Amino acid sequence: MEDSFEAYGERLASRLMVGTAAYPSPAVLADAVDASEAAVVTVGLRRTLASGGDNGFLAGLLARLTARGVRLLPNTAGCRTAAEAVSLARMTRELYGTHWVKLEVVGDEYTLQPDPWQLLEAAETLVGEGFAVFPYATDDLLLCQRLFDAGCQVLMPWGAPIGSGQGLLNPWALATLRARLPQAVLVLDAGLGSPAHAAQAMELGFDAVLLNSAIAHAGDPVGMARAFARVVAGARAGYLAGVMAPQPMAVASTPVCGQPLLVG
């Protein structure tokens, strides 16, 4: 049975979302995105503008993806204030023809941690303007609650600082988010380094994962994209099947008491 999920009223067939930055070549990027079978692909407008505008290849790739039903998720990466992020979001809506936006407002240059106050301010403004906002946040429960109350149906808490590959540094906080925000769509975003990290997020009950560096910086990005696709689907199936509760001590899987013995 297909295990799709819904974001802002749209059904998404894959629970893996991928980025488009830092790949070794355009050809590898295209093949990796195809191998990931991602339902959502992010693209940074600032990066596009910094490179002198769309170079034709990215436009062709995005056109191919949208024709296949893949959703584009422009982001506001690089913004430092709410006003800056709102302005860039408005530009992405005009240039990419979508009201979906991944909202990023960074407050610390070392950790690239989101600024909670600026993030919430920008989210409130964009929701009021009809945007479907995907806010990149920390795993702070109160911040995520405020964002959800502001109209952000999808929340994207980090697992670790972006690009660090450290995995889920605070599984307890992430599990708390899942338990306290059952109506929110939770996407684990940032800090994943391996498919095992993605599996851990899915087994916590997260709806999806978004990653870029773990694939783009892999020795074989295409192979890694395929691995993430399989692991995310498998871990989600395991979560739905019901992962056994850990035990404080050994429990025999084949009890011998009361069982016939075969003696040869």
Side-chain angles (χ1 to χ4, degrees), residues 165-168 188 191-202 209 228 231:
Q166 297 181 60
L168 279 57
L188 198 289
L192 301 185
S194 77
H197 299 154
Q200 187 179 9
M202 299 307 296
V209 296
F228 268 103
V231 167

Side-chain angles (χ1 to χ4, degrees), residues 187-264:
V187 180
L188 198 289
D189 178 21
L192 301 185
S194 77
H197 299 154
Q200 187 179 9
M202 299 307 296
E203 289 178 355
L204 287 176
F206 272 63
D207 296 284
V209 296
L210 190 156
L211 53 102
N212 184 91
S213 300
I215 294 176
H217 295 166
D220 175 7
V222 177
M224 187 61 76
R226 189 173 296 111
F228 268 103
R230 292 173 178 172
V231 167
V232 167
R236 173 66 181 178
Y239 171 75
L240 293 176
V243 178
M244 68 168 286
Q247 305 298 317
M249 58 189 298
V251 178
S253 58
T254 308
V256 296
C257 212
Q259 299 292 325
L261 295 179
L262 298 178
V263 180

Side-chain angles (χ1 to χ4, degrees), residues 122-217:
E124 290 172 337
T125 298
L126 292 173
V127 168
E129 295 184 7
F131 281 87
V133 181
F134 294 66
Y136 166 56
T138 63
D139 54 19
D140 182 85
L141 174 62
L142 294 183
L143 171 59
C144 289
Q145 180 69 67
R146 298 294 183 274
L147 289 166
F148 184 70
D149 291 343
C152 298
Q153 300 174 22
V154 179
L155 304 174
M156 308 184 83
W158 70 357
I162 191 168
S164 69
Q166 297 181 60
L168 279 57
L169 295 183
N170 194 343
W172 177 86
L174 296 171
T176 300
L177 287 180
R178 180 69 289 171
R180 296 293 300 278
L181 295 168
Q183 302 304 315
V185 174
L186 295 183
V187 180
L188 198 289
D189 178 21
L192 301 185
S194 77
H197 299 154
Q200 187 179 9
M202 299 307 296
E203 289 178 355
L204 287 176
F206 272 63
D207 296 284
V209 296
L210 190 156
L211 53 102
N212 184 91
S213 300
I215 294 176
H217 295 166

